Amino acid sequence: MAASMASQAILRGLRGASTRYLFLEKSKLGRVNPRRWLNLQEYQSKKLMQESGVTVQRFFVADNAPDALEAAKRLNAKEIVLKAQILAGGRGKGVFDSGLKGGVHLTKDPAVVGDLASRMLGYNLTTKQTPKEGVKVKTVMVAEALDITRETYFAILMDRACNGPVMVGSPQGGVDIEEVAASTPELIFKEVIDIFEGVQDDQAVRMAANLGFKGPLERQAADQIKRLYDLFLKVDATQVEVNPLGETPEGQVVCFDAKINFDDNAEFRQKDVFAMDDMTESDPTETEAAKYDLKYIGLDGNIACFVNGAGLAMATCDIIDLHGGKPANFLDLGGGVQENQVYQAFKLLTADPKVEAILVNIFGGIVNCAIIANGITKACRELELKVPLVVRLEGTNVQEAKRILSESGLPITSASNLDDAARKAVASIRK
Ligand code: GDP
Ligand code: MN
């Protein structure tokens, strides 16, 4: 599911495309969503916030309507807010396929929460950030609603251009922050954080003031900002986004929404956080691929790409495009590969019914081409491959690999370079 990229988009507005955006835009890959970062649901992120002393509303979660109703009664609040939990933003303005409008509902009558929840749970919610068909809602958050006098935007994210964390904020928070960044960039404020020094008092206060918090609220907002930064560090986040960071008539600064992304490389020391990942919103093929340490990305075309390395993946997709073809997916093998992974990779690639040809483009550096060749021939035989296969191998042990392929007696088209490979793969479909 597409992660909220608001903060990246805002930074992009500030200083040109981030590297990640370049990757997505340049390759024109359509539905690309490399699952590089762990995403948690809002309620999970808010639990982490609570543990760091960040102010959030009282809440319960429910996966069925009677429990949601019960939770609403137990909250015993003046007003209740019911929020569908999906890994995408824009829920407030979203629509369910049950006909219900709005993934965020406020009500003063707890008795209607059960009915509302029954029109959310089990239904797909479509927002600006989801695929057209939406994402199925399995959990709702039932929280104590608070009055909001002002909505601001605040995020902390790792930024390549700053070589570290940066805080981004705007007094104009709420829903369409990308629009604020585009039309009134002067309302976007940025503070670069020195990773060794952390957020300085004057930085936190300046950001709070820029967000428009006044009087005692300024101090309180600065304190929340520092706590959010502590959380950012503690959980190895790549992004903590709060939209809205609001103020109440009672004079409280509250995080009304929460989106945290995590650095996958920190999984080994963030076991508790990663254990919360239920994977239910991930593409099942991507999840299956991850089991074998493979990275799979589904696309819209008909040529499956089997590559090693993100750069080669991008180049392969672009060259297929150049020759008039369209990639159906790509599977990144990475380094240190075993024969079984090659087999699993082929299984995943060919399971996609859109696939009409397979293009293997492997550069053997750490990877031994002979292992790839053995994996390919084994997969071809066992999976009784029905689609044309074009193979381009280069690098370590490539002569042995070519011998294995040619002596296999299998109908494999070999290619001498990337261009040749892409041309042959596209041609194999046209025939
Ligand atoms: P998103 O649409 O997915 O970003 O979901 P949010 O959690 O940000 O909620 C959307 C909007 O609903 C917010 O911008 C608020 O205006 C409103 N909202 C959410 N929670 C509350 C609440 O407790 N009280 C009030 N008054 N409004 C809320
Ligand atoms: Mn929001």
Side-chain angles (χ1 to χ4, degrees):
M1 195 40 274
S4 154
M5 299 223 179
S7 53
Q8 272 93 353
I10 290 160
L11 273 181
R12 188 165 49 135
L14 288 176
R15 54 151 187 74
S18 72
T19 325
R20 196 149 139 243
Y21 261 88
L22 274 180
F23 174 78
L24 300 186
E25 289 173 355
K26 190 173 157 280
S27 297
K28 297 191 203 82
L29 295 178
R31 194 191 70 82
V32 184
N33 178 27
R35 206 190 136 67
R36 201 184 132 205
W37 288 302
L38 165 68
N39 272 307
L40 293 183
Q41 301 289 358
E42 174 193 8
Y43 77 90
Q44 298 171 313
S45 295
K46 283 189 170 169
K47 265 185 207 149
L48 294 174
M49 286 179 163
Q50 279 175 330
E51 290 166 16
S52 283
V54 172
T55 309
V56 300
Q57 295 140 282
R58 290 189 293 132
F59 70 87
F60 293 110
V61 286
D63 61 8
N64 62 72
D67 283 359
L69 175 62
E70 186 56 34
K73 289 180 182 159
R74 261 169 67 198
L75 277 170
N76 190 23
K78 196 173 78 205
E79 194 172 8
I80 303 285
V81 58
L82 179 66
K83 305 176 85 173
Q85 300 293 290
I86 57 168
L87 298 177
R91 292 167 302 169
K93 293 184 173 172
V95 181
F96 292 89
D97 59 2
S98 65
L100 182 68
K101 289 205 172 69
V104 176
H105 273 262
L106 288 151
T107 175
K108 293 210 156 69
D109 181 8
V112 306
V113 168
D115 176 53
L116 279 172
S118 71
R119 290 150 75 196
M120 291 185 173
L121 289 161
Y123 292 100
N124 280 23
L125 173 59
T126 301
T127 80
K128 251 171 45 180
Q129 293 184 11
T130 65
K132 263 206 280 315
E133 68 277 14
V135 175
K136 188 180 262 186
V137 177
K138 296 182 179 125
T139 315
V140 291
M141 175 192 238
V142 190
E144 169 181 37
L146 300 172
D147 289 337
I148 309 181
T149 35
R150 227 167 48 81
E151 301 195 5
T152 76
Y153 175 91
F154 179 73
I156 306 170
L157 63 151
M158 277 298 175
D159 182 39
R160 210 177 279 268
C162 297
N163 289 319
V166 51
M167 297 192 276
V168 184
S170 174
Q172 213 78 273
V175 260
D176 287 323
I177 189 68
E178 287 95 335
E179 225 169 278
V180 176
S183 57
T184 45
E186 69 278 8
L187 290 180
I188 304 286
F189 297 92
K190 194 175 144 183
E191 291 281 343
V192 176
I193 303 168
D194 182 323
I195 189 86
F196 295 109
E197 305 293 331
V199 174
Q200 300 301 295
D201 280 334
D202 62 321
Q203 285 190 300
V205 170
R206 191 161 54 233
M207 180 54 86
N210 282 333
L211 294 181
F213 291 107
K214 301 225 158 50
L217 282 179
E218 184 184 281
R219 193 59 252 169
Q220 202 190 126
D223 176 62
Q224 290 292 305
I225 286 169
K226 291 183 84 167
R227 287 171 195 264
L228 285 165
Y229 182 68
D230 290 343
L231 171 66
F232 178 85
L233 283 189
K234 190 172 112 196
V235 300
D236 285 305
T238 52
Q239 171 181 304
V240 171
E241 186 185 56
V242 183
N243 189 26
L245 173 66
E247 66 179 66
T248 69
E250 292 79 27
Q252 267 211 309
V253 178
V254 180
C255 294
F256 284 93
D257 193 5
K259 178 114 200 71
I260 311 182
N261 292 347
F262 301 85
D263 182 349
D264 279 355
N265 294 311
E267 183 169 0
F268 73 99
R269 61 181 186 194
Q270 298 290 350
K271 295 244 156 57
D272 294 349
V273 172
F274 280 77
M276 289 196 258
D277 187 9
D278 62 3
M279 298 274 196
T280 50
E281 273 184 45
S282 309
D283 179 330
T285 314
E286 287 172 28
T287 309
E288 181 69 14
K291 274 196 219 159
Y292 301 99
D293 251 340
L294 302 163
K295 286 219 159 55
Y296 175 94
I297 309 285
L299 302 164
D300 311 327
N302 51 10
I303 299 176
C305 304
F306 184 38
V307 298
N308 60 335
L312 201 56
M314 189 157 65
T316 306
C317 290
D318 280 351
I319 294 187
I320 287 174
D321 200 48
L322 193 72
H323 287 290
K326 269 188 170 299
N329 51 37
F330 68 79
L331 205 144
D332 179 359
L333 198 54
V337 66
Q338 303 301 315
E339 219 177 281
N340 180 47
Q341 281 173 297
V342 179
Y343 174 76
Q344 294 300 342
F346 261 73
K347 218 167 132 181
L348 286 168
L349 286 177
T350 51
D352 181 346
K354 296 195 308 293
V355 170
E356 292 175 38
I358 301 176
L359 170 52
V360 175
N361 185 21
I362 301 279
F363 187 83
I366 303 167
V367 175
N368 181 338
C369 290
I371 289 178
I372 304 286
N374 278 325
I376 291 175
T377 52
K378 178 169 178 255
C380 284
R381 290 199 179 96
E382 292 184 17
L383 301 171
E384 293 173 19
L385 199 64
K386 303 268 182 338
V387 296
L389 171 62
V390 180
V391 179
R392 180 252 179 170
L393 294 170
E394 200 63 77
T396 307
N397 219 4
V398 68
Q399 293 313 325
E400 172 68 4
K402 285 189 172 155
R403 192 189 58 76
I404 292 166
L405 291 180
S406 67
E407 287 177 7
S408 71
L410 291 162
I412 298 172
T413 307
S414 75
S416 51
N417 57 48
L418 179 46
D419 201 56
D420 185 37
R423 202 188 308 269
K424 283 174 173 161
V426 174
S428 75
I429 293 174
R430 296 230 170 102
K431 258 183 258 167

